[in-house]
């Protein structure tokens, strides 16, 4: 494990511009850790320990002062002196020029353009290789160690840190997950499964393409924990142009980062300016993932995080 944040040119990008409409507030600022830390504070500290040199936060402008206060009040004391932080805004009309040609304005939009656009917003702030995560999820120390080692081992490939399905479930009902097909350590595809929950006899069951099916607890799932090289921005640019030309007049349509990845892995379907199809290496974390979607999730996540972080033993929560 790398301990000097200044040794590696790795940047953590945290997508923190979400509206939190189902949660009822800004999940980015929810105090869920054992010492009232936010999820993004826990992620930033873990990233620095793993060897990242800085963080770029993609936010709405009104969040900047509150997040800056987190650095001034507590975070800076936990980070190496050379660890940097910066902000960029996810702005509706910050689109490729060719995409703007398809829309006269963005007054019809009721929400941002999605996770692909969120990362696009950071293109002027990130130099070199990067990890990309959500602000309101807990990933664990090992996820950032895997990201750092993987990005340094293969400096041309992209990567995904996946999680065993069993470590991403909720006690409050079914969940939706991107189930990964992995062969020889390389991502082949991500399939959307919905309403995954414990069945009465058959184990974990969920719905894919309209049919219920059984899933292995160990199947890897994507939880938005990516590693990219700079050419991800070329891929996003092409994807956004294509997306806006088709869906640009809709109020809530979103361009998702996994779609950019999926299209970039297929040379036959390559719509971007990449010379070749990208390889996406997959590493699997062995720590639980936690996230909050609804208000009732907060107390459960706070309890689990407290137990994990105060009594951590090989990344496993013991009942």
């Amino acid at each position: 494990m790398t301990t000097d944040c200044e040794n590696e040119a790795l940047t953590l990008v945290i997508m923190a511009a979400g509206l939190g409409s189902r949660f009822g507030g800004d999940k980015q600022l929810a105090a869920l850790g054992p010492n009232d830390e936010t999820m993004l504070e826990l992620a930033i500290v873990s990233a620095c320990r793993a060897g990242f040199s800085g963080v770029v936060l993609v936010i709405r402008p009104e969040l900047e002062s509150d997040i800056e206060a987190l650095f001034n009040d507590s975070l800076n004391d936990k980070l190496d002196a050379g660890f940097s932080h910066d902000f960029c805004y996810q702005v509706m009309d910050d689109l490729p020029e060719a995409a703007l040609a398809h829309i006269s304005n963005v007054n019809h939009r009721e929400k941002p353009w999605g996770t692909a656009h969120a990362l696009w917003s950071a293109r002027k702030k990130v130099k070199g290789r990067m990890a990309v995560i959500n602000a309101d999820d807990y990933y664990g120390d090992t996820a950032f160690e895997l990201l750092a080692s993987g990005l340094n081992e293969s400096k041309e490939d992209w990567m995904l840190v996946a999680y065993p399905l069993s470590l991403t479930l909720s006690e409050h009902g079914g969940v939706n997950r991107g189930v990964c097909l992995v062969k020889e350590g390389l991502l082949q595809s991500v399939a959307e499964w919905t309403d995954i929950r414990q069945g009465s006899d058959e184990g974990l069951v969920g719905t894919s393409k309209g049919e219920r099916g059984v899933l292995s607890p160990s199947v890897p799932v994507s939880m938005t924990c990516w590693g990219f090289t700079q050419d991800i921005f070329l891929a996003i640019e092409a994807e956004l142009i294509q997306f806006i030309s088709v869906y640009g007049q809709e109020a809530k349509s979103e361009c998702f980062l996994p779609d950019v990845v999926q299209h970039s892995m297929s040379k036959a379907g390559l719509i971007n300016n990449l010379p070749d199809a990208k390889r996406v290496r997959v590493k699997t974390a062995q720590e639980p993932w936690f996230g909050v979607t609804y208000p009732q999730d907060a107390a459960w996540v706070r309890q689990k995080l407290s137990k994990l972080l105060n009594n951590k033993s090989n990344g496993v929560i013991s009942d």
Side-chain angles (χ1 to χ4, degrees), residues 168-313:
T168 72
L169 301 177
S170 170
E171 294 183 356
H172 297 119
V175 298
N176 302 339
R177 296 289 180 258
V179 176
C180 301
L181 176 62
V182 181
K183 291 184 179 180
E184 298 180 352
L186 296 176
L187 183 65
Q188 306 297 308
S189 65
V190 181
E192 183 69 18
W193 284 68
T194 61
D195 193 30
I196 302 171
R197 61 180 69 225
Q198 186 69 41
S200 55
D201 298 315
E202 59 270 63
L204 295 177
V205 295
T207 300
S208 176
K209 297 180 179 179
E211 296 186 2
R212 296 295 279 176
V214 178
L215 287 164
S216 167
S218 62
V219 68
V221 296
S222 170
M223 304 306 298
T224 311
C225 192
W226 298 99
F228 294 118
T229 51
Q230 275 283 303
D231 54 4
I232 184 61
F233 295 120
L234 291 174
I236 293 175
E237 180 179 18
E239 191 86 19
L240 283 172
I241 294 170
Q242 176 71 15
F243 179 86
I244 297 298
S245 71
V246 178
Y247 303 105
Q249 301 303 323
E250 297 182 4
K252 297 182 179 181
S253 57
E254 294 181 80
C255 184
F256 296 112
L257 197 50
D259 291 335
V260 179
V261 174
Q262 191 85 37
H263 293 154
S264 299
M265 290 192 302
S266 171
K267 188 169 179 61
L270 214 58
I271 64 168
N272 50 46
N273 295 318
L274 303 181
D276 295 295
K278 294 298 296 190
R279 298 197 310 174
V280 181
R281 297 182 178 272
V282 179
K283 303 282 187 180
T284 303
Q286 296 302 326
E287 286 187 76
W289 169 96
F290 299 123
V292 289
T293 301
Y294 301 100
Q296 58 267 36
D297 294 329
W300 178 79
V301 168
R302 189 178 293 112
Q303 178 186 13
K304 291 291 188 180
L305 271 177
S306 179
K307 189 172 184 180
L308 174 65
L309 297 177
N310 288 330
N311 305 287
K312 198 169 181 181
S313 175

Side-chain angles (χ1 to χ4, degrees), residues 40-252:
L40 65 85
E41 287 179 90
L42 295 173
I44 291 168
V45 171
S46 292
C48 184
R49 288 173 181 162
F52 285 78
S53 59
V55 60
V56 172
L57 296 112
V58 182
I59 61 170
R60 306 192 310 274
E62 61 267 28
L63 294 176
E64 182 170 352
S65 60
D66 287 332
I67 297 177
E68 185 65 52
L70 295 177
F71 282 92
N72 294 333
D73 294 344
S74 60
L75 254 179
N76 286 334
D77 292 337
K78 302 173 185 177
L79 302 172
D80 289 356
F83 192 88
S84 65
H85 73 275
D86 205 345
F87 299 98
C88 59
Y89 301 151
Q90 185 174 5
V91 180
M92 294 283 195
D93 59 359
D94 179 16
L95 292 165
E97 185 174 348
L100 288 170
H102 295 287
I103 54 175
S104 57
N105 57 62
V106 294
N107 296 336
H108 63 291
R109 291 294 298 179
E110 297 179 13
K111 62 191 305 184
W113 293 105
T115 51
H117 181 248
L119 181 53
W120 170 256
S121 304
R123 67 195 181 281
K124 296 178 182 179
K125 299 284 188 176
V126 180
K127 306 298 181 185
R129 291 159 292 150
M130 71 204 80
V132 180
I133 64 168
N134 287 327
D136 48 16
D137 295 338
Y138 174 81
Y139 295 94
D141 288 340
T142 57
F144 297 97
E145 294 166 12
L146 290 171
L147 284 165
S149 62
L151 287 169
N152 284 320
E153 286 168 7
S154 182
K155 298 186 178 182
E156 300 298 325
D157 294 337
W158 296 348
M159 70 172 297
L160 168 70
V161 172
Y163 287 76
L165 174 59
S166 61
L167 296 183
T168 72
L169 301 177
S170 170
E171 294 183 356
H172 297 119
V175 298
N176 302 339
R177 296 289 180 258
V179 176
C180 301
L181 176 62
V182 181
K183 291 184 179 180
E184 298 180 352
L186 296 176
L187 183 65
Q188 306 297 308
S189 65
V190 181
E192 183 69 18
W193 284 68
T194 61
D195 193 30
I196 302 171
R197 61 180 69 225
Q198 186 69 41
S200 55
D201 298 315
E202 59 270 63
L204 295 177
V205 295
T207 300
S208 176
K209 297 180 179 179
E211 296 186 2
R212 296 295 279 176
V214 178
L215 287 164
S216 167
S218 62
V219 68
V221 296
S222 170
M223 304 306 298
T224 311
C225 192
W226 298 99
F228 294 118
T229 51
Q230 275 283 303
D231 54 4
I232 184 61
F233 295 120
L234 291 174
I236 293 175
E237 180 179 18
E239 191 86 19
L240 283 172
I241 294 170
Q242 176 71 15
F243 179 86
I244 297 298
S245 71
V246 178
Y247 303 105
Q249 301 303 323
E250 297 182 4
K252 297 182 179 181

